[in-house]
Amino acid sequence: MPDDKRDRSVRAYARLAGFLYLFILAVFYAADYLIVSRTIVEGDFTQSARNVLASEPLYRLGLAGEFAASWLTIPLAGALYVVLKRVDPDLALFALLFRVAEAVLGSVCALIGFVAVRIYTGTAGAFGPAESQALVQLLARAYGACFTITVIFFSIGSLLFFVLLFRSRFLPRILSGFGVLASLLVTVLGFANLIVPQYATLLAPAFMPILVAEVATGLWLLLAAVNTTKWNATAGVAD
């Protein structure tokens, strides 16, 4: 492949990754914080059921948004893999696999949410109020554990990709280095949430650094792509 065509291709993949970083974040936060979280009242099954019944299509849209954000992780990771496999093909493959596992687990979390809808709306079977409430509580705990494990797979994949970006110098090192630290912090917090879930809300603000790192990286890749001079000079897998 001629150098100019190859350069255009890698820049296109880099910009695709940048767009998906931003798009996935926008879809997930809009779906989760603007729809799902506002519909469900924690600890109040009756009011939650009323809210879901009053806006079931909108609530399902929110769950569908969370699902879409999960599977869109696969093309994001694929684009990053194409850009970074020349740095270290084995490490790039591990990063890709962790992000794909994240997408699969995220889809399972969305599935749990859709099952809960059937209970809220009374279409899951002949359950009494007490049984329905118990089932929803069980599903909520399953969703919480599923989400936390998904976050751990995300953070490890993110850590590996940011390590590759740091080594490559395709992006400013201060940005990729910040991404490494932010991803490592999320990994620690993810395990902390599994071990001491009662403190999950206290730990939540510490997830802000990875949000900043992903937004900044997404904007950089979308607007500036990568330094193809350094990309062409990188030793790795032959095209």
Side-chain angles (χ1 to χ4, degrees), residues 16-29 76 211 214-220 222-223:
L16 173 62
F19 169 77
L20 287 173
Y21 261 127
L22 301 174
F23 185 71
I24 290 170
L25 286 172
V27 170
F28 177 79
Y29 280 99
L76 166 62
L211 175 61
E214 288 208 326
V215 170
T217 301
L219 287 171
W220 184 280
L222 181 62
L223 299 176

Short mmCIF file of all heavy atoms in Angstrom, two decimals, residues 16-29 76 211 214-220 222-223:
data_model
loop_
_atom_site.label_atom_id
_atom_site.label_comp_id
_atom_site.label_asym_id
_atom_site.label_seq_id
_atom_site.Cartn_x
_atom_site.Cartn_y
_atom_site.Cartn_z
N LEU A 16 -12.06 7.89 13.48
CA LEU A 16 -13.21 7.06 13.84
C LEU A 16 -13.18 6.76 15.33
O LEU A 16 -14.21 6.85 16.03
CB LEU A 16 -13.19 5.75 13.05
CG LEU A 16 -14.26 4.71 13.44
CD1 LEU A 16 -15.66 5.26 13.21
CD2 LEU A 16 -14.05 3.40 12.67
N ALA A 17 -12.00 6.41 15.85
CA ALA A 17 -11.87 6.15 17.29
C ALA A 17 -12.22 7.39 18.10
O ALA A 17 -12.91 7.32 19.11
CB ALA A 17 -10.45 5.68 17.61
N GLY A 18 -11.74 8.56 17.65
CA GLY A 18 -12.04 9.80 18.35
C GLY A 18 -13.53 10.09 18.37
O GLY A 18 -14.09 10.46 19.42
N PHE A 19 -14.17 9.90 17.23
CA PHE A 19 -15.63 10.12 17.17
C PHE A 19 -16.37 9.17 18.09
O PHE A 19 -17.28 9.57 18.83
CB PHE A 19 -16.12 9.94 15.73
CG PHE A 19 -17.62 9.89 15.61
CD1 PHE A 19 -18.37 11.06 15.69
CD2 PHE A 19 -18.28 8.68 15.45
CE1 PHE A 19 -19.77 11.00 15.60
CE2 PHE A 19 -19.66 8.62 15.35
CZ PHE A 19 -20.40 9.79 15.43
N LEU A 20 -15.97 7.89 18.08
CA LEU A 20 -16.67 6.90 18.89
C LEU A 20 -16.44 7.13 20.39
O LEU A 20 -17.36 6.91 21.19
CB LEU A 20 -16.22 5.49 18.50
CG LEU A 20 -16.76 5.00 17.15
CD1 LEU A 20 -16.13 3.67 16.77
CD2 LEU A 20 -18.28 4.88 17.18
N TYR A 21 -15.24 7.58 20.77
CA TYR A 21 -15.01 7.94 22.17
C TYR A 21 -16.10 8.93 22.63
O TYR A 21 -16.74 8.75 23.66
CB TYR A 21 -13.65 8.61 22.33
CG TYR A 21 -12.54 7.72 22.84
CD1 TYR A 21 -11.34 7.61 22.15
CD2 TYR A 21 -12.67 7.01 24.02
CE1 TYR A 21 -10.31 6.81 22.61
CE2 TYR A 21 -11.65 6.20 24.50
CZ TYR A 21 -10.47 6.11 23.78
OH TYR A 21 -9.45 5.32 24.26
N LEU A 22 -16.29 9.98 21.85
CA LEU A 22 -17.23 11.04 22.22
C LEU A 22 -18.68 10.59 22.08
O LEU A 22 -19.52 10.88 22.94
CB LEU A 22 -16.98 12.28 21.36
CG LEU A 22 -15.56 12.87 21.46
CD1 LEU A 22 -15.39 13.99 20.44
CD2 LEU A 22 -15.28 13.37 22.86
N PHE A 23 -18.97 9.87 21.01
CA PHE A 23 -20.35 9.45 20.76
C PHE A 23 -20.83 8.46 21.81
O PHE A 23 -21.95 8.56 22.32
CB PHE A 23 -20.45 8.82 19.36
CG PHE A 23 -21.86 8.47 18.96
CD1 PHE A 23 -22.78 9.47 18.67
CD2 PHE A 23 -22.26 7.15 18.86
CE1 PHE A 23 -24.08 9.16 18.29
CE2 PHE A 23 -23.55 6.82 18.49
CZ PHE A 23 -24.46 7.83 18.20
N ILE A 24 -19.98 7.49 22.16
CA ILE A 24 -20.35 6.50 23.17
C ILE A 24 -20.61 7.17 24.52
O ILE A 24 -21.58 6.86 25.21
CB ILE A 24 -19.25 5.42 23.30
CG1 ILE A 24 -19.22 4.55 22.05
CG2 ILE A 24 -19.47 4.56 24.55
CD1 ILE A 24 -18.03 3.62 21.97
N LEU A 25 -19.73 8.10 24.90
CA LEU A 25 -19.93 8.82 26.15
C LEU A 25 -21.25 9.58 26.14
O LEU A 25 -22.01 9.56 27.12
CB LEU A 25 -18.77 9.79 26.40
CG LEU A 25 -17.44 9.16 26.84
CD1 LEU A 25 -16.34 10.21 26.84
CD2 LEU A 25 -17.57 8.53 28.22
N ALA A 26 -21.53 10.27 25.02
CA ALA A 26 -22.77 11.05 24.92
C ALA A 26 -24.00 10.15 25.02
O ALA A 26 -24.96 10.45 25.74
CB ALA A 26 -22.78 11.83 23.61
N VAL A 27 -23.98 9.02 24.30
CA VAL A 27 -25.12 8.10 24.31
C VAL A 27 -25.31 7.51 25.69
O VAL A 27 -26.44 7.47 26.21
CB VAL A 27 -24.92 6.98 23.26
CG1 VAL A 27 -25.97 5.88 23.44
CG2 VAL A 27 -24.99 7.55 21.85
N PHE A 28 -24.22 7.04 26.31
CA PHE A 28 -24.36 6.38 27.62
C PHE A 28 -24.86 7.35 28.67
O PHE A 28 -25.79 7.02 29.42
CB PHE A 28 -23.02 5.78 28.06
CG PHE A 28 -23.10 5.16 29.42
CD1 PHE A 28 -23.66 3.90 29.59
CD2 PHE A 28 -22.66 5.84 30.55
CE1 PHE A 28 -23.75 3.32 30.85
CE2 PHE A 28 -22.75 5.27 31.81
CZ PHE A 28 -23.30 4.01 31.96
N TYR A 29 -24.26 8.54 28.76
CA TYR A 29 -24.66 9.46 29.82
C TYR A 29 -26.06 10.01 29.58
O TYR A 29 -26.81 10.23 30.54
CB TYR A 29 -23.64 10.59 29.95
CG TYR A 29 -22.42 10.17 30.72
CD1 TYR A 29 -21.25 9.78 30.07
CD2 TYR A 29 -22.44 10.10 32.11
CE1 TYR A 29 -20.14 9.35 30.78
CE2 TYR A 29 -21.34 9.67 32.83
CZ TYR A 29 -20.19 9.30 32.16
OH TYR A 29 -19.09 8.86 32.86
N LEU A 76 -14.92 0.83 18.36
CA LEU A 76 -13.94 1.74 18.96
C LEU A 76 -12.63 1.00 19.22
O LEU A 76 -11.55 1.45 18.84
CB LEU A 76 -14.48 2.31 20.27
CG LEU A 76 -13.46 3.00 21.18
CD1 LEU A 76 -12.84 4.21 20.49
CD2 LEU A 76 -14.10 3.40 22.51
N LEU A 211 -13.16 10.20 32.67
CA LEU A 211 -14.07 10.92 31.79
C LEU A 211 -13.33 12.05 31.08
O LEU A 211 -13.45 12.22 29.85
CB LEU A 211 -15.25 11.48 32.58
CG LEU A 211 -16.25 12.35 31.81
CD1 LEU A 211 -16.88 11.56 30.67
CD2 LEU A 211 -17.31 12.90 32.75
N GLU A 214 -10.91 10.53 28.45
CA GLU A 214 -11.55 10.02 27.25
C GLU A 214 -12.07 11.15 26.37
O GLU A 214 -11.96 11.09 25.14
CB GLU A 214 -12.69 9.07 27.62
CG GLU A 214 -12.21 7.75 28.18
CD GLU A 214 -13.18 6.62 27.91
OE1 GLU A 214 -14.40 6.88 27.91
OE2 GLU A 214 -12.72 5.49 27.68
N VAL A 215 -12.64 12.19 26.98
CA VAL A 215 -13.12 13.33 26.19
C VAL A 215 -11.95 14.01 25.49
O VAL A 215 -12.01 14.32 24.28
CB VAL A 215 -13.89 14.33 27.08
CG1 VAL A 215 -14.16 15.62 26.31
CG2 VAL A 215 -15.20 13.72 27.56
N ALA A 216 -10.87 14.26 26.23
CA ALA A 216 -9.70 14.93 25.65
C ALA A 216 -9.08 14.09 24.53
O ALA A 216 -8.72 14.60 23.47
CB ALA A 216 -8.67 15.23 26.73
N THR A 217 -8.97 12.78 24.76
CA THR A 217 -8.40 11.89 23.74
C THR A 217 -9.31 11.82 22.52
O THR A 217 -8.84 11.84 21.38
CB THR A 217 -8.20 10.48 24.32
OG1 THR A 217 -7.31 10.56 25.44
CG2 THR A 217 -7.61 9.54 23.28
N GLY A 218 -10.62 11.72 22.76
CA GLY A 218 -11.55 11.70 21.65
C GLY A 218 -11.47 12.95 20.79
O GLY A 218 -11.45 12.88 19.56
N LEU A 219 -11.41 14.11 21.44
CA LEU A 219 -11.31 15.37 20.69
C LEU A 219 -10.01 15.44 19.91
O LEU A 219 -9.98 15.87 18.74
CB LEU A 219 -11.41 16.55 21.65
CG LEU A 219 -12.80 16.83 22.23
CD1 LEU A 219 -12.72 17.89 23.32
CD2 LEU A 219 -13.76 17.29 21.13
N TRP A 220 -8.90 15.01 20.54
CA TRP A 220 -7.61 15.06 19.85
C TRP A 220 -7.60 14.16 18.62
O TRP A 220 -7.18 14.56 17.53
CB TRP A 220 -6.48 14.66 20.81
CG TRP A 220 -5.12 14.80 20.16
CD1 TRP A 220 -4.51 13.92 19.30
CD2 TRP A 220 -4.24 15.92 20.28
NE1 TRP A 220 -3.30 14.40 18.90
CE2 TRP A 220 -3.10 15.62 19.48
CE3 TRP A 220 -4.29 17.11 21.00
CZ2 TRP A 220 -2.03 16.50 19.38
CZ3 TRP A 220 -3.22 17.98 20.89
CH2 TRP A 220 -2.10 17.68 20.09
N LEU A 222 -10.16 12.97 16.95
CA LEU A 222 -11.13 13.42 15.95
C LEU A 222 -10.61 14.60 15.14
O LEU A 222 -10.76 14.65 13.92
CB LEU A 222 -12.45 13.79 16.63
CG LEU A 222 -13.59 14.26 15.72
CD1 LEU A 222 -13.99 13.15 14.75
CD2 LEU A 222 -14.78 14.69 16.55
N LEU A 223 -9.96 15.53 15.81
CA LEU A 223 -9.53 16.77 15.15
C LEU A 223 -8.13 16.67 14.54
O LEU A 223 -7.87 17.24 13.48
CB LEU A 223 -9.58 17.93 16.14
CG LEU A 223 -10.97 18.24 16.73
CD1 LEU A 223 -10.87 19.34 17.76
CD2 LEU A 223 -11.95 18.62 15.62
#
